[in-house]
Amino acid sequence: MIQSLNTYKTSDLYLSAFLKAKGMKLKDKQKNGNKYIFIFEDRSDRKELIQEFFNDGTVSISAFKNALQDLKTMVFNV
């Protein structure tokens, strides 16, 4: 997980889907070797959302599924 000014970056697909399903705005992606890094617009509650994810946080299954599909589409439809 990498941070920079006003953005949050991670290569964790499931964390990215969770954050997107929780309403964080996905700004872009970048390829790093054989992995992709997802770049989000940072929010003040991001640390709490990440902690929630790692502590079995909940999100609507349809929102998670849609977010996961969006991320996969971004990666595979380059």
Side-chain angles (χ1 to χ4, degrees), residues 18-36:
F18 182 82
L19 295 176
K20 189 170 185 318
K22 286 290 195 174
M24 283 190 65
K25 183 179 178 186
L26 183 64
K27 294 182 74 169
D28 204 357
K29 68 173 182 342
Q30 57 185 207
K31 191 167 173 110
N32 184 12
N34 63 349
K35 286 187 171 186
Y36 278 90

Side-chain angles (χ1 to χ4, degrees), residues 9-77:
K9 300 177 182 183
T10 182
S11 60
D12 186 319
L13 179 64
Y14 295 106
L15 173 58
S16 295
F18 182 82
L19 295 176
K20 189 170 185 318
K22 286 290 195 174
M24 283 190 65
K25 183 179 178 186
L26 183 64
K27 294 182 74 169
D28 204 357
K29 68 173 182 342
Q30 57 185 207
K31 191 167 173 110
N32 184 12
N34 63 349
K35 286 187 171 186
Y36 278 90
I37 297 172
F38 298 101
I39 305 166
F40 290 88
E41 189 174 289
D42 208 1
R43 287 187 352 194
S44 60
D45 64 342
R46 181 208 8 107
K47 287 182 182 180
E48 289 81 13
L49 291 174
I50 293 171
Q51 186 174 14
E52 184 181 342
F53 171 77
F54 285 108
N55 287 296
D56 296 325
T58 59
V59 66
S60 156
I61 190 64
S62 60
F64 185 79
K65 179 188 152 297
N66 291 338
L68 189 58
Q69 187 60 48
D70 288 348
L71 295 171
K72 287 181 176 183
T73 298
M74 282 183 74
V75 168
F76 295 116
N77 294 333

